[in-house]
Amino acid sequence: MFILDVISSLKKEDHFDKLLIKAGQSLLKKSSNSRNHIFCPYCGIERINNITIDYPEQSSSSLEKVAFADHNYGKVFSALDDVELKKKAISFYNKSIENYNKFYNEGDQIDIANAYRNIGLIYEELKEFKLATESQVKALEIFEAVYRCDHEDIAMVLNNLGTCYPNSESKRKNFLFASLRIDYLTESYNMFKRLMRDNDNFKSYHSPLRST
């Protein structure tokens, strides 16, 4: 976990910027053939609490790399135990969504849905339950439109929605929220059961069942 170690231990040091850029470029060089491992292909990064990226002029190909880079920045900062960095993660995810929308067609938006799902998880950690729910619903709508059948991604978002409703001082709201939680969690549970029943590979890979 070299990247996380660098960020956690050196975020207040003057030489943090150069180390993060070097780490990102090293990781990019090692995995240049895998879009899922692109981390920091661009220089121009400022201090940890005010990060910007100086992007060059974008072709369609480089725009895609920018979107994946922003997405991976979101993953890194969302894993840190710092409220401001988690908010920065949301900003990077939103940038990735903006760029994904420039080159993805309607049937190929899984990365967009994943970004919305991750944003929802961050908002839930920050106790912003309304925003968490809105993001998870956006992810769910995209996943359902793409897959059009039972799928692990749909079941996981339903599970996430089942945890997005907080306790309230209002008994009426608590009853409503409890009903929604039960509905979403039950639907998620039943979908996972169907997937495990109908797909031996899924069953062997995901047993015992656990939330993520």
Side-chain angles (χ1 to χ4, degrees):
M1 300 295 289
F2 174 68
I3 299 295
L4 289 179
D5 290 340
V6 169
I7 293 173
S8 297
S9 63
L10 298 175
K11 65 180 181 180
K12 294 183 180 179
E13 299 294 332
D14 292 338
H15 56 293
F16 168 79
D17 297 349
K18 293 181 180 179
L19 285 172
L20 183 56
I21 293 170
K22 184 177 179 180
Q25 290 175 333
S26 174
L27 184 58
L28 176 66
K29 183 177 180 180
K30 291 179 181 178
S31 56
S32 59
N33 293 327
S34 175
R35 72 180 195 180
N36 292 325
H37 291 88
I38 293 173
F39 175 67
C40 179
Y42 306 103
C43 295
I45 189 167
E46 297 178 3
R47 295 189 63 81
I48 186 69
N49 61 351
N50 188 29
I51 289 176
T52 58
I53 302 176
D54 183 18
Y55 295 122
E57 291 296 322
Q58 299 303 322
S59 66
S60 176
S61 175
S62 62
L63 184 64
E64 185 176 9
K65 291 180 180 179
V66 169
F68 293 131
D70 283 334
H71 193 121
N72 284 332
Y73 266 118
K75 287 182 180 179
V76 170
F77 292 124
S78 67
L80 300 177
D81 188 19
D82 184 291
V83 170
E84 293 305 314
L85 294 183
K86 288 184 183 296
K87 291 179 179 178
K88 180 62 69 174
I90 292 172
S91 175
F92 277 116
Y93 279 129
N94 281 324
K95 288 179 183 178
S96 73
I97 290 170
E98 181 181 348
N99 283 317
Y100 284 143
N101 278 318
K102 292 177 181 178
F103 60 83
Y104 275 155
N105 58 46
E106 188 171 341
D108 187 23
Q109 297 188 335
I110 293 174
D111 288 310
I112 296 174
N114 281 326
Y116 277 127
R117 177 171 59 186
N118 292 339
I119 289 171
L121 292 173
I122 298 172
Y123 276 131
E124 185 178 354
E125 284 190 68
L126 298 177
K127 309 300 182 185
E128 297 282 354
F129 295 107
K130 183 176 184 294
L131 294 173
T133 301
E134 290 174 355
S135 297
Q136 296 292 351
V137 167
K138 289 178 181 178
L140 180 63
E141 290 174 346
I142 295 172
F143 282 138
E144 288 181 335
V146 171
Y147 295 126
R148 301 180 183 276
C149 62
D150 288 350
H151 192 278
E152 175 189 359
D153 286 335
I154 297 174
M156 290 178 69
V157 172
L158 290 169
N159 180 75
N160 294 341
L161 282 166
T163 65
C164 279
Y165 295 91
N167 293 324
S168 170
E169 295 181 1
S170 166
K171 290 183 179 180
R172 182 175 178 276
K173 283 187 177 180
N174 273 336
F175 178 79
L176 175 61
F177 290 164
S179 298
L180 289 169
R181 283 196 293 263
I182 291 170
D183 287 346
Y184 281 125
L185 292 172
T186 300
E187 191 172 353
S188 173
Y189 173 75
N190 288 335
M191 187 174 294
F192 273 123
K193 280 183 64 177
R194 291 193 297 271
L195 289 166
M196 295 181 75
R197 179 194 65 201
D198 299 336
N199 189 326
D200 289 337
N201 290 332
F202 181 94
K203 184 175 181 179
S204 63
Y205 183 78
H206 291 277
S207 184
L209 193 62
R210 60 184 179 86
S211 60
T212 57

